[in-house]
Amino acid sequence: MSLRDHIADLIAREGPMRLDAYMALCLMHPTMGYYTTRDPFGAEGDFTTAPEISQMFGELLGLCLAQTWQAQGAPERFTLAELGPGRGTLMADALRAAGAALPAFVEAAEVLLIEASPAMQARQKETLAAHETRLRWSATFEPPADLPLFVIANEFFDALPIRQFVRQGAHWRERQVGLKEGRLSFGLGPAAPQPALRQWEAETSDGDVVEYAPALAPIVAKMDSVIAAQGGASLIIDYGDWHSLGDTLQALQDHAHVDPLDAPGAADLTAHVDFEALAQAVEHSALTRVTPQGVFLERLGITARAERLAAGMDAASLSAHVAAHRRLTHPEEMGNLFKIAGLYPKAAAPPPGLEP
Ligand code: SAH
């Protein structure tokens, strides 16, 4: 049975399905989900992420955390967590660069990889084989409460299932996935009060769609409390904005947009990250300003690093390298669409490249 038929069957038996339930099935169904059955990255995959574009991305994030660790007194044990590590490329680049600059940082790190897909876990194990003894995996984010916590999350929060609500006068109706003449189709549930904490009434008018990722706040709250109590920092990079209004659900297959209901389990489903919702989940630590990825990478010295790597490249590698640099930083490419925000202890300085 295909995932589409399985979902249609569930709807036929139990009624229309919430969008977050649909997304969770599409992305993580144990045998037919998107992340559980394939490696979606790279030119042959469905999309390309920053660490797969250039080693410079992971290197600079690793150096950023290593410097933050040193500024906080170089604690001799800490958790280095990554949420949704993909192929493990970012962590490998981060550990290599940080290890070259500050070997004690890597020595002190207990690496915790948060990955719900066994297929992606296996892929990460291969990429990070050189660091085998310091790696641990978990499907959910349960960081040790008694160690400083340093976190990287690149394109993780955009994969969290969302709910969508449509405003109708003073009421809200939830978007649901139902069946219409045998096909999956969007519909609206009964009128209900909005379930989230946001003051949406003031910002919206009739017909507006708002989104809410139920899993976001609990994950941020865990980072927040451990970083405030034990020290550390968190770098959260994603596409989205301070404020996300409207329908941002998108499905990508073969580097092209497709209908989110067309290919359950075969297309990547994401939504923009609402950094304001993220900020609202931070209570005990400080949150930096939301900064465009391009600005952040330039502040960390990506151009100098790019020039150093360029020396000795042949013409073909050099043109790919120049294109990769541009892709990561240029405002018309990923430089502005992707944003970064950092969590850090209130008494500490923000991570390099970010402002209070
Ligand atoms: N950070 C990587 C990959 C981003 S894709 C990169 O930049 O290349 C999203 C990753 O998060 C995948 O590894 C996916 O399997 C994982 N993931 C998605 N939803 C998850 C969830 N709810 N819990 C844990 N891991 C999840």
Side-chain angles (χ1 to χ4, degrees):
M1 188 191 260
S2 70
L3 185 56
R4 196 218 78 94
D5 291 348
H6 172 63
I7 289 171
D9 199 51
L10 278 173
I11 294 171
R13 279 189 284 128
E14 294 166 18
M17 183 180 279
R18 263 167 48 178
L19 182 55
D20 56 340
Y22 174 76
M23 260 181 103
L25 283 170
C26 288
L27 294 179
M28 289 293 176
H29 183 281
T31 56
M32 296 181 283
Y34 183 72
Y35 284 113
T36 43
T37 54
R38 72 195 72 219
D39 174 351
F41 306 100
E44 304 84 51
D46 294 312
F47 59 92
T48 307
T49 55
E52 303 298 333
I53 291 171
S54 167
Q55 68 186 72
M56 296 187 289
F57 188 76
E59 289 175 347
L60 291 172
L61 291 184
L63 292 171
C64 175
L65 285 189
Q67 204 175 320
T68 309
W69 169 82
Q70 196 175 36
Q72 290 184 20
E76 63 187 34
R77 273 179 70 212
F78 70 94
T79 305
L80 177 58
E82 183 175 358
L83 303 180
R87 285 179 171 172
T89 310
L90 197 168
M91 184 56 82
D93 292 337
L95 289 173
R96 187 186 59 255
L102 211 62
F105 172 78
V106 174
E107 284 303 310
E110 299 185 4
V111 179
L112 176 60
L113 300 160
I114 309 306
E115 176 56 68
S117 155
M120 294 313 307
Q121 282 195 10
R123 181 68 208 243
Q124 292 151 20
K125 213 165 270 180
E126 270 172 42
T127 310
L128 294 164
H131 303 281
E132 200 180 352
T133 52
R134 58 179 93 256
L135 306 178
R136 204 155 57 76
W137 276 267
S138 171
T140 56
F141 185 49
E142 317 291 345
D146 57 349
L147 289 180
L149 174 66
F150 291 81
V151 186
I152 295 175
N154 185 57
E155 289 207 50
F156 169 78
F157 285 98
D158 66 12
L160 294 181
I162 55 160
R163 299 173 67 181
Q164 288 184 332
F165 298 88
V166 182
R167 182 163 178 182
Q168 290 189 340
H171 293 282
W172 295 86
R173 292 176 67 188
E174 180 155 12
R175 272 184 107 196
Q176 298 177 323
V177 181
L179 281 175
K180 206 169 174 182
E181 289 154 15
R183 296 173 64 93
L184 298 179
S185 78
F186 282 117
L188 293 176
Q194 68 168 71
L197 306 170
R198 298 281 296 280
Q199 294 302 305
W200 282 332
E201 254 79 17
E203 307 164 5
T204 53
S205 50
D206 216 30
D208 279 351
V209 175
V210 296
E211 297 178 334
Y212 157 67
L216 180 140
I219 293 173
V220 173
K222 280 180 202 166
M223 299 177 183
D224 175 47
S225 57
V226 178
I227 288 170
Q230 302 290 339
S234 182
L235 303 177
I236 296 166
I237 308 121
D238 232 305
Y239 63 118
D241 231 313
W242 174 249
H243 218 64
S244 157
L245 270 189
D247 174 8
T248 73
L249 179 68
Q250 66 171 39
L252 269 186
Q253 194 174 15
D254 261 344
H255 297 264
H257 289 271
V258 295
D259 186 309
L261 299 183
D262 262 2
D268 187 35
L269 291 180
T270 58
H272 282 197
V273 171
D274 182 339
F275 282 92
E276 187 182 19
L278 196 147
Q280 284 174 346
V282 176
E283 230 186 300
H284 309 288
S285 31
L287 183 72
T288 68
R289 231 175 258 216
V290 177
T291 306
Q293 172 174 300
V295 172
F296 172 70
L297 293 175
E298 291 298 352
R299 285 181 184 156
L300 293 182
I302 192 169
T303 298
R305 177 70 184 136
E307 281 165 4
R308 200 129 34 93
L309 283 171
M313 277 187 186
D314 60 33
S317 328
L318 187 62
S319 92
H321 176 59
V322 169
H325 177 209
R326 182 187 151 91
R327 202 159 159 204
L328 290 179
T329 56
H330 197 279
E332 280 162 20
E333 306 237 9
M334 296 172 81
N336 206 29
L337 182 60
F338 281 74
K339 307 284 194 304
I340 172 159
L343 265 73
Y344 62 104
K346 280 181 179 156
L354 295 172
E355 302 163 320

